[in-house]
Amino acid sequence: MEERSLVSWSTMISGYGMHGRGTDALLLFETMRGLVRPDHIVFVSVLSACSHAGLIDEGWRYFNSMTSEHGIMPRTEHHACMVDLLGRAGKLQEAKEFIEKMPITPDSSVWGSLLGACRIHRNAKLAEITAKELFRLDPTNSGRYVLLSNIFSSVGKGKEADKVKGLMRRKGVKRNDGFTVIEVKNRVYKFLVGDKTKPQSSQIYVELEKLMARIKQEGYVPDTNFALHDVEEEMKERSLAMHSEKLAIVFGLMNSAPGSVIRIHKNLRVCGDCHNATKYISKVTKREIVVRDSRRFHHFMDGLCSCGDYW
C-alpha cells in the first residue's frame, strides 16, 4: 500500500489475533507505533490478540500503557478484553476482582467475558453469580441462559440446568439455534444439528458414521459434557456426532477435491467436542480444515489446531 492508515494497521493486527498469531500481532503493533499514533480501537485489537494467545504479561503491559504512554482512557471494551484474557488463563478470581475495581460501570460485555471463562474452566459457583448480573443487564440474550445451563450440566448439576431453562421459558426468551455454513461449488449450504434436509443426506450420515469410527481408532473420545444431560450415554454420543459442524465437514469432504481446504463458519462458539473431533478428522483425512466461529478462526491440520487448544 502506498499509504498505511490507522485502519489498515488495526485490521491486520486484529486479523493476526483472530487467527491465534498473537506474537505477530504485537510485532506489527510495535512497528506501527513508530509510524502512526495508536487510538483506542487499535488497543482493542492488541488486547484481544493477547487474550487469544494467552499473553498475560503483555496484555497487562499494553493495558497500562494506554494511559501512561498514550493518554488513552480504557473504555468498557478494553476492560472486557482484560477480563477475557485473565479468565481464559484460569485466573477467574483475579478477573472478578478486576471487574470490582473498574473505574467505570461494567456492562454485559464485561460480565459476558467472565461467564465465558467460567464455561471453559467449569466454575459453576462463579458462573451463577456472574449470570445474575447478566440477567439484570441483558435479560433477553438467550446465549447467557444457555451458557449457564451448559455450565451446570457439565458439572453434573442437572436440576440447576433445568431451572435455568425454566427461567428462559417464563421470561419468553427464545434460544438461538446453532448452525454451520459451508460453500461448495459456489453454493452456500446451512446445516443445523441433526439436519436431514440437504442433498445427499443419507450418504452424509453413512460417511459420518465411518469417519467417527476412524477417528475413534486414532484416539478420539466423545466429550459428552457437550451433549444434552437428560439422555442416556449412548444417545449423548449419537447427538454429538450430529452436530452441525461435523455434518458440514463431512459434506465438504464428499464434495471437494482431495487435498483441498475445507472451510466452514459456525454462528456460535465452536463446540468443544467438535473442536477435538476436527483435530482427528484433519489427521485421518489429511485435509486442512478452517473453522470460523463467533470468536476466532481455527486452522486444523495433521491433528493439531492453530489455537493450541487455548480458546
Side-chain angles (χ1 to χ4, degrees), residues 60-310:
W60 272 119
R61 178 160 57 85
Y62 284 114
F63 180 78
N64 291 329
S65 74
M66 289 179 64
T67 51
S68 63
E69 296 181 30
H70 303 283
I72 300 172
M73 292 301 296
R75 303 184 183 187
T76 304
E77 53 266 37
H78 303 109
H79 288 88
C81 285
M82 289 303 297
V83 172
D84 193 53
L85 171 64
L86 295 169
R88 285 176 187 271
K91 298 179 179 293
L92 296 177
Q93 189 57 37
E94 190 174 336
K96 182 174 180 291
E97 291 172 358
F98 178 85
I99 294 174
E100 292 169 347
K101 295 177 181 177
M102 281 177 55
I104 54 179
T105 303
D107 66 2
S108 59
S109 66
V110 175
W111 288 108
S113 295
L114 184 57
L115 185 63
C118 290
R119 176 67 179 96
I120 295 170
H121 300 286
R122 299 181 183 179
N123 189 322
K125 184 177 180 180
L126 182 57
E128 190 170 10
I129 296 171
T130 304
K132 286 180 179 178
E133 293 292 335
L134 284 166
F135 295 162
R136 179 179 62 84
L137 293 167
D138 196 9
T140 61
N141 188 324
S142 63
R144 316 298 193 189
Y145 298 86
V146 173
L147 196 53
L148 180 61
S149 176
N150 289 342
I151 293 169
F152 281 138
S153 296
S154 70
V155 296
K157 293 188 175 184
K159 290 183 179 179
E160 288 81 353
D162 289 336
K163 287 180 180 178
V164 176
K165 293 175 183 176
L167 180 62
M168 282 184 70
R169 288 191 294 270
R170 289 195 300 275
K171 289 189 173 184
V173 178
K174 294 184 178 180
R175 176 174 180 166
N176 292 326
D177 291 330
F179 62 82
T180 302
V181 171
I182 184 170
E183 182 179 343
V184 174
K185 298 175 182 177
N186 297 320
R187 284 192 62 186
V188 175
Y189 298 86
K190 177 181 175 181
F191 285 86
L192 302 175
V193 62
D195 202 328
K196 295 183 179 181
T197 64
K198 300 295 178 290
Q200 306 173 299
S201 278
S202 58
Q203 189 179 350
I204 289 172
Y205 281 94
V206 170
E207 295 300 322
L208 177 63
E209 189 172 347
K210 293 178 183 177
L211 187 58
M212 289 297 104
R214 286 178 67 188
I215 65 175
K216 283 181 179 179
Q217 290 179 346
E218 289 291 327
Y220 163 70
V221 178
D223 188 344
T224 54
N225 284 312
F226 293 93
L228 297 172
H229 73 273
D230 52 354
V231 296
E232 296 297 325
E233 201 68 20
E234 184 178 343
M235 285 300 297
K236 287 183 178 181
E237 285 196 27
R238 191 173 300 173
S239 68
L240 284 174
M242 294 190 292
H243 277 193
S244 63
E245 297 100 308
K246 296 184 181 78
L247 296 177
I249 288 172
V250 171
F251 183 73
L253 290 169
M254 290 168 50
N255 293 280
S256 59
S260 60
V261 179
I262 303 292
R263 302 178 188 276
I264 65 173
H265 181 195
K266 176 76 182 286
N267 68 320
L268 306 175
R269 188 172 182 268
V270 66
C271 156
D273 177 75
C274 286
H275 186 275
N276 189 37
T278 306
K279 289 195 297 182
Y280 284 97
I281 293 171
S282 72
K283 182 179 180 180
V284 301
T285 62
K286 301 187 184 306
R287 294 282 200 104
E288 179 182 358
I289 303 172
V290 180
V291 180
R292 178 182 180 177
D293 68 6
S294 61
R295 300 298 300 271
R296 64 180 297 163
F297 287 82
H298 298 264
H299 296 255
F300 298 91
M301 189 181 294
D302 297 325
L304 300 172
C305 180
S306 60
C307 74
D309 296 334
Y310 189 89

